[in-house]
Amino acid sequence: MQAWRVHTTGEPREAMRLEEVPEPVPGEGEVRLRVLAANVNFPDALLARGQYQIRPPLPFTPGVEVCGETEDGRRVLANPSLPHGGFAEYVTAPAHALLPAPGSLDDAEAAALHIGYQTGWFGLHRRARLQSGETLLVHAAAGGVGSAAVQLGKAAGATVIGVVGGKAKARTAEGLGCDLVIDRTDEDLAGIAARVKEFTGGRGADVVYDPVGGDAYAASAKCVAFEGRIVVVGFAGGTVPAPALNHALVKNYAILGLHWGLYAAKDPAAVLACHTELTRLADQGAITPLVSERIPLAGAADAVQRVADGTTTGRLVVVPSLPDGGAR
């Protein structure tokens, strides 16, 4: 079969190589899946760079979530067992963690439903306890992680403010249903905070969803509401902020960490319950993963690089059955 492998860590476009390799053999408690679609995530770039918290032995295949087909024909969502990741024609995955793919979504949409939407749901509902009528501020609102949070926030009855970078991403955020879109290329930190305060009548954002870190976090701290909650999801901007805890004390807001993988390890029943809720929302049309491109297997390294560079909107999804040059 064909699979992308990393022999030496580095930037995805240079580190990933498409090779002919044997099909993976399932270990104890695992199943083999034919990959129908593999979603591209920022952690795939971190894996290629050797910067992710999990460092599989070299050589390995990136790709942390797929929609796949079991040998008995079931269509499922899975997190592949590294080092046999999803940018390949076949993967192995833990049998106990397979989730049924929603029938209302196609393969690419289903592949993009899992980690980003689970992270959004746990962040907004389990950690921040977002309530209908509250104001939610989402950074990188046009990206894969941010677009999921926007949709989940709207589904929960929140007023959603999206922060994006550039006019094309602003149009995407507007299409997702953001009630206010702020283009950070037009505003400094103080300007972003001022726009949020003005829109909320001086109150600020009740919940902030931050997958960016750095300056995005600094802006959040300036405009979070009394008893607001800042959910720290990741650091795609490349800088890990150092929060001023005296500021959190003075303003009475909470800083909440969110690592979805811990729920998969410590509370798998909650992951299944979340998937049931996400499936219900998808079937109702309340959420639909924003798949901006479906890409053939040959384009996977370039897709991972583009996600790493922050130039994409929505989700890029690798579909092995697409012919080379068949991106759409």
Side-chain angles (χ1 to χ4, degrees), residues 104-105 151 155 176 277-289:
S104 58
L105 302 178
Q151 291 184 2
L176 288 166
E277 174 63 10
L278 293 175
T279 299
R280 182 186 70 81
L281 291 171
D283 289 344
Q284 290 179 347
I287 60 173
T288 303

Side-chain angles (χ1 to χ4, degrees), residues 139 184 189 192 208 210-222 230 232-244:
H139 290 285
R184 58 180 169 78
L189 295 183
I192 292 172
V208 178
D210 181 12
V212 178
D215 288 347
Y217 179 87
S220 301
K222 289 179 178 294
I230 300 175
V232 178
V233 184
F235 313 107
T239 302
V240 178

Side-chain angles (χ1 to χ4, degrees), residues 17-87:
R17 301 197 325 229
L18 186 58
E19 300 177 343
E20 195 72 29
V21 299
E23 292 182 12
V25 177
E28 184 176 353
E30 293 184 331
V31 295
R32 182 165 52 202
L33 304 174
R34 180 171 70 90
V35 177
L36 302 176
N39 185 40
V40 180
N41 287 275
F42 190 71
D44 295 318
L46 296 179
L47 279 166
R49 291 168 172 167
Q51 297 174 346
Y52 197 50
Q53 56 258 42
I54 298 170
R55 297 190 180 184
L58 297 167
F60 67 88
T61 298
V64 296
E65 65 178 338
V66 303
C67 175
E69 184 180 60
T70 65
E71 293 180 347
D72 60 1
R74 290 180 296 134
R75 188 167 159 266
V76 298
L77 306 185
N79 300 123
S81 302
L82 296 175
H84 304 297
F87 301 136

Side-chain angles (χ1 to χ4, degrees), residues 196-286:
V196 173
K197 287 288 192 72
E198 179 184 13
F199 183 75
T200 58
R203 174 176 171 78
D206 298 291
V207 175
V208 178
Y209 191 81
D210 181 12
V212 178
D215 288 347
Y217 179 87
S220 301
K222 289 179 178 294
C223 63
V224 66
F226 169 74
E227 294 196 328
R229 292 84 77 198
I230 300 175
V231 185
V232 178
V233 184
F235 313 107
T239 302
V240 178
L245 296 185
N246 61 319
H247 189 258
L249 181 152
V250 170
K251 286 190 67 175
N252 279 31
Y253 63 86
I255 304 164
L256 306 170
L258 190 283
H259 176 200
W260 173 78
L262 284 180
Y263 288 101
K266 296 182 178 294
D267 194 355
V271 172
L272 179 58
C274 175
H275 181 68
T276 300
E277 174 63 10
L278 293 175
T279 299
R280 182 186 70 81
L281 291 171
D283 289 344
Q284 290 179 347

